Amino acid sequence: MALPLPADPPVAPVEDVEDMEVRRTRYLEVKDTIQRQLLSRINLETLATTGRAQAEGEIRNVVNALIADSGASLSAAESEAILGDVLDEVFGLGPLEPLIRDATVSDILVNTWQHVFVERKGKLERVPGAFQDDAHLMRIIDRIVSAVGRRIDESSPMVDARLADGSRVNAIIPPLAVDGPLLLIRRFPAERLKAKHLVEFKSITAPMIEFLSYCVAARLNCLVSGGTGSGKTTLLNVLSGYIGNTERIVTIEDAAELQLHQEHVARLETRPANVEGKGAIPQRQLVINALRMRPDRIVIGEVRGGEALDMLQAMNTGHDGSLTTVHANNPRDALGRIETMVSMSDVSLPEKAMRQQIAAAINIVVQQARMADGSRRVTSISEITGMEGDVITMQEIFKFERTHVDEEGRVRGRFMATGIRPQCCTKLQAAGIPIDAAMFEGVLEV
């Protein structure tokens, strides 16, 4: 039987669309004219150094006078919006400032100056772009990268940076970006998400997070696996919260995103090469240095290369309870990725010895996934049990089984305990953690 065709989305009357477009075009023209005239009235660079609060009054007076002189019939709201836009251009990131102030926005994606998208609650949606042209977008990108002492131009057309609020920025410009400059800003919630939030969001069940908290407390080594945007860093943050407050933690990241609240945390961040292509400090060098810093735990934001070998050796030589993430689609692939990255180091290991290192170092693999409806869920918690011949053996403790998509497009399924009692229960009990066998039973429909 043929499936029914989806209904056409509601379409606004042509007259309304044309009227909105005409009004928006007029608004942008007036704003552009006022911004140009503002430059001839006041020195914006000098004013920017005085601070936004002090400069706002002077700019407001000048902008109001320019609006009156223009003869444009703007509403009070439009006049106030122009003032806000001008202040954002002087002191902030221009058209991106309203999006950055919006707490519901998690990602801002600019695909050239004409196309701006945001992610809210896991869903992408397009927002009206307020960039005037590619040159306007480039000015904002330059402002971002120059604030962190970086440069972006034809000789160095890619950059990773971090805003003052911790948001992560990636920009890439022509000739690598074919149609124009591209910009991504990944934001992080002001309030750190906790385990209770993940349970409320139905990303994980209470028994699953309880088991993982026991694993962290008992100093088992945990690997969080998942795709881009699946919530690996969020889960890593939550798990790191179960590390004792008396332990010394060293974190290593490409871009500092982790938000650990323990008292004894040493944060390390990689450094890219300078404009001459020199001075880069990669993760591997930081991992090696971290071992000299007397860490009780090492938390690596994400393993991507040869540092995987140093991480495994650290886990196998007294630094139990370490945590990290990796990009992979399932737990078995995660181990394969670690194996590939170990081979990228300058140490040549036989395949079996490499797998023995992995099996001995990593205890728990947690798989995280982003569903089609934008939700994030822990889809598997597996335990590494050892080796059989040349193969690393694993057993799944918990899993999420997708069943269907409801009428509202939400992914439905059930979290299931497989009924297997993990071997690590012996370590948990030795650490003084009581284990309830009922934890490894039951099904929860979501």
Side-chain angles (χ1 to χ4, degrees), residues 223-226 326 328-338 358 362 364-368 379-384 392 394-396 398:
L223 174 67
V224 179
S225 166
V326 67
N329 294 324
N330 58 62
R332 180 62 62 181
D333 283 352
L335 301 185
R337 287 270 295 143
I338 295 292
I358 295 171
I362 301 172
I364 301 293
V365 181
V366 185
Q367 186 67 36
Q368 182 99 359
T379 57
S380 174
I381 298 177
S382 302
E383 177 189 33
I384 295 180
I392 299 173
M394 304 174 70
Q395 59 183 11
E396 195 168 44
F398 298 95

Side-chain angles (χ1 to χ4, degrees), residues 202-435:
K202 298 179 180 177
S203 296
I204 196 170
T205 66
M208 292 166 71
I209 196 67
E210 185 179 13
F211 172 69
L212 291 176
S213 72
Y214 291 164
C215 291
V216 175
R219 302 182 63 87
L220 300 185
N221 295 316
C222 299
L223 174 67
V224 179
S225 166
T228 302
S230 62
K232 298 186 300 298
T233 302
T234 298
L235 183 59
L236 191 66
N237 258 325
V238 170
L239 296 182
S240 67
Y242 297 110
I243 298 175
N245 202 42
T246 59
E247 298 184 67
R248 176 172 169 80
I249 309 165
V250 178
T251 69
I252 301 165
E253 301 175 82
D254 267 342
E257 299 174 9
L258 295 173
Q259 300 170 318
L260 276 67
H261 294 300
Q262 287 86 345
E263 292 182 358
H264 205 163
V265 179
R267 304 173 71 204
L268 305 179
E269 185 178 45
T270 61
R271 186 178 72 184
N274 60 20
V275 294
E276 298 175 351
K278 300 177 181 179
I281 306 294
Q283 272 203 152
R284 185 170 191 193
Q285 195 168 338
L286 293 181
V287 172
I288 294 171
N289 188 79
L291 297 175
R292 302 170 183 148
M293 297 173 66
R294 196 221 162 270
D296 292 313
R297 310 253 192 163
I298 298 175
V299 180
I300 304 176
E302 180 184 342
V303 285
R304 296 181 178 178
E307 71 272 6
L309 175 61
D310 304 289
M311 177 197 71
L312 294 177
Q313 290 177 337
M315 290 177 172
N316 278 322
T317 55
H319 299 93
D320 297 332
S322 296
L323 306 169
T324 189
T325 74
V326 67
H327 272 85
N329 294 324
N330 58 62
R332 180 62 62 181
D333 283 352
L335 301 185
R337 287 270 295 143
I338 295 292
E339 190 175 327
T340 299
M341 288 185 283
V342 169
S343 66
M344 294 166 61
S345 68
D346 52 8
V347 178
S348 179
L349 286 176
E351 189 175 85
K352 186 172 182 178
M354 191 187 306
R355 291 176 181 172
Q356 286 173 333
Q357 284 261 24
I358 295 171
I362 301 172
N363 304 114
I364 301 293
V365 181
V366 185
Q367 186 67 36
Q368 182 99 359
R370 177 176 173 173
M371 303 285 111
D373 61 357
S375 62
R376 279 84 168 174
R377 290 201 172 102
V378 173
T379 57
S380 174
I381 298 177
S382 302
E383 177 189 33
I384 295 180
T385 56
M387 295 274 295
E388 285 187 6
D390 292 342
V391 179
I392 299 173
T393 55
M394 304 174 70
Q395 59 183 11
E396 195 168 44
I397 311 303
F398 298 95
K399 66 179 179 179
F400 173 78
E401 189 175 84
R402 173 174 166 164
T403 56
H404 67 284
V405 177
D406 66 15
E407 297 81 2
E408 298 179 1
R410 292 176 296 191
V411 174
R412 298 299 191 181
R414 52 180 172 260
F415 288 103
M416 305 171 61
T418 62
I420 296 174
R421 183 181 174 89
Q423 294 181 8
C424 65
C425 283
T426 305
K427 292 183 179 179
L428 301 185
Q429 290 170 334
I433 299 172
I435 301 298

Side-chain angles (χ1 to χ4, degrees), residues 105-124:
V105 172
S106 56
D107 284 340
I108 302 170
L109 304 98
V110 183
N111 299 342
T112 73
W113 70 274
Q114 294 173 302
H115 305 105
V116 180
F117 296 83
V118 297
E119 180 182 303
R120 289 188 176 95
K121 297 181 179 179
K123 288 286 190 179
L124 286 178

